[in-house]
Amino acid sequence: MPGAAAIKVMIVDDQASMRAMIRRALQDFGFVHVRDKGCPKEALADIKQDRVHLIISDFNMPELDGLQLLEAVRKDPVIGKTVFIMLTGSADREVVQKAAALGVNNYLVKPFAPAALKEKIERVFGALT
Amino acid sequence: MRRQTIVQGEHAVIAEPDVVVTTILGSCVSVCLYDPERRMGGMNHFLLPQPVGGSLRGIADPQRYGIHAMEVLINALMARGAERSRMRAHCYGGAQVVAGLGEIGAENVAFARHFLATEGIAVAHEDLGGRHARRVEFMPYLGRSRCLAVREAAPLANVRVPVPVPERAGELELFG
C-alpha cells in the first residue's frame, strides 16, 4: 500500500473554500504532494505536464464540469488511468451513474466529513500509512 | 410585494421585482448574495459551518452546513446568469441567543467571513454576532436588505417555531 506521502493529488473545484478544506483534510491524512486548481481546463493541462495519482474533482463547475473532465482524463493515453474521485451534490444521482459509466473510481456526496473522504481514498489505494 | 420565507437548510434565488425573501435567525447565519448588474440575488440559512472529524453531527440536510449552503446558492445564481465576480454579500445572524449553545454563532460568523474572503466576494454589509435574534428581509432585485431585532428570547432559528413579531425600533435599511 502506498503511503499518503507518496500519492500526488490534484484537487479541482471552482470554490476556493472547498479546495482549502480538502487540502487541509489531505494534509491531516499525511498527504504531502497536493495541488489544486479552480479551473478544470487548467487542471487538465497541469496534470498532463506533471502527472498525479489521484484527482479529486467537483462535478458542478462552469466551463467544464466534472464529467467532462473525467472523460477528458480517461481519453488521454498518458493520464487515462489516473484515479478519479468525483464530488457531487446530494441530488446528483444521474451524475453518479454517468460518472460510473465513464470510469470514475469513487464518488463522495457533499457535504462530507473528512473521515468520509479518507475512506473513499482508502477504498481505492488501500489503508493510508 | 410577495414574501418568501426560508428556514434553515433552505435557500431562495429571486430575479423578479417585488419579492422579499425573509428568514428568522438566532445562531444561524444567512448570506444574501446578489449580482447588481443582473438584478438578481438569493439568500441561504445555515446552522453550522461544515462537517468536522468523522461525522456530519447527525444532520441529514446538507444545506444546514455553510460550506454546502454557500456552494448551492452560488451555483444556483450562476445557473441563472449571475457572475461570481460581480456578487456582493450582506451577512446576518450568528448571535448567541441562549446560553449553552456554545460558540455556534461565533463559528458561523467566522465561517461566513472566511468563506467570502476566500472566494473574493465583497461584503457590502454585515450585522453579525450579538445576543439577539434577527428577522432579515432581502429584496434581491434591488440588492437591498434590512434586519429587524427580535427582542423575545424564543425565536431560535435552529427549530421551526412560530414567527415572532419583530420590533420595529432599530430597523436598518440598506442600499447596497
Side-chain angles (χ1 to χ4, degrees):
Chain A
M1 304 301 168
I7 302 172
K8 290 184 176 181
V9 188
M10 169 63 75
I11 304 165
V12 192
D13 196 309
D14 57 322
Q15 274 200 183
S17 306
M18 185 59 73
R19 297 200 303 274
M21 191 189 104
I22 296 169
R23 177 183 279 274
R24 277 197 304 275
L26 292 176
Q27 287 167 344
D28 288 345
F29 304 153
F31 285 85
V32 177
H33 304 289
V34 181
R35 314 204 296 271
D36 68 83
K37 292 286 181 185
C39 170
K41 288 179 180 172
E42 287 180 17
L44 192 59
D46 190 272
I47 56 181
K48 283 182 178 177
Q49 287 285 320
D50 183 5
R51 292 177 62 183
V52 296
H53 304 99
L54 168 62
I55 299 166
I56 300 172
S57 173
D58 187 25
F59 161 67
N60 199 341
M61 296 180 287
E63 292 186 37
L64 196 72
D65 69 28
L67 287 175
Q68 292 169 312
L69 176 63
L70 171 61
E71 190 170 19
V73 169
R74 289 290 178 258
K75 280 184 177 172
D76 189 282
V78 178
I79 62 170
K81 294 189 187 317
T82 308
V83 173
F84 199 111
I85 294 177
M86 181 90 77
L87 310 176
T88 73
S90 56
D92 294 334
R93 186 181 295 270
E94 192 181 338
V95 172
V96 173
Q97 289 170 342
K98 285 182 179 173
L102 287 168
V104 78
N105 295 87
N106 219 320
Y107 72 96
L108 195 52
V109 176
K110 292 182 178 182
F112 52 83
L117 175 62
K118 187 180 183 187
E119 184 192 334
K120 297 287 184 181
I121 296 171
E122 288 187 326
R123 282 194 194 173
V124 182
F125 287 94
L128 297 170
T129 56
Chain B
M1 185 73 75
R2 179 166 72 85
R3 303 179 75 84
Q4 181 170 343
T5 300
I6 65 168
V7 297
Q8 63 174 249
E10 293 182 341
H11 76 282
V13 170
I14 301 292
E16 296 79 30
D18 301 326
V19 180
V20 179
V21 185
T22 71
T23 199
I24 299 284
L25 299 165
S27 61
C28 290
V29 162
S30 276
V31 175
C32 309
L33 284 182
Y34 61 98
D35 178 342
E37 193 168 307
R38 291 300 299 255
R39 302 192 76 103
M40 63 183 300
M43 177 200 280
N44 61 17
H45 179 154
F46 58 84
L47 172 68
L48 294 167
Q50 58 196 21
V52 293
S55 79
L56 294 179
R57 294 189 188 176
I59 292 171
D61 185 347
Q63 278 198 68
R64 294 186 183 186
Y65 290 107
I67 189 77
H68 193 58
M70 290 305 304
E71 177 173 11
V72 168
L73 179 58
I74 290 171
N75 286 344
L77 286 165
M78 290 174 66
R80 294 183 63 171
E83 285 280 341
R84 183 195 294 258
S85 61
R86 289 196 300 255
M87 288 181 192
R88 305 182 76 193
H90 295 179
C91 305
Y92 295 101
Q96 187 176 5
V97 183
V98 174
L101 275 181
E103 299 298 317
I104 289 176
E107 288 177 23
N108 285 332
V109 169
F111 167 81
R113 287 174 173 156
H114 185 261
F115 181 96
L116 293 166
T118 303
E119 301 296 333
I121 296 173
V123 178
H125 178 74
E126 64 172 36
D127 181 1
L128 295 163
R131 302 188 67 85
H132 61 87
R134 295 169 168 89
R135 175 173 177 170
V136 179
E137 297 182 343
F138 178 44
M139 285 154 278
Y141 186 82
L142 301 174
R144 290 166 55 182
S145 65
R146 63 180 179 179
C147 177
L148 312 172
V150 179
R151 299 296 180 194
E152 296 170 33
L156 261 185
N158 299 352
V159 290
R160 290 174 188 245
V161 295
V163 176
V165 177
E167 188 174 275
R168 301 301 294 186
E171 180 177 311
L172 174 66
E173 186 154 352
L174 296 169
F175 300 88

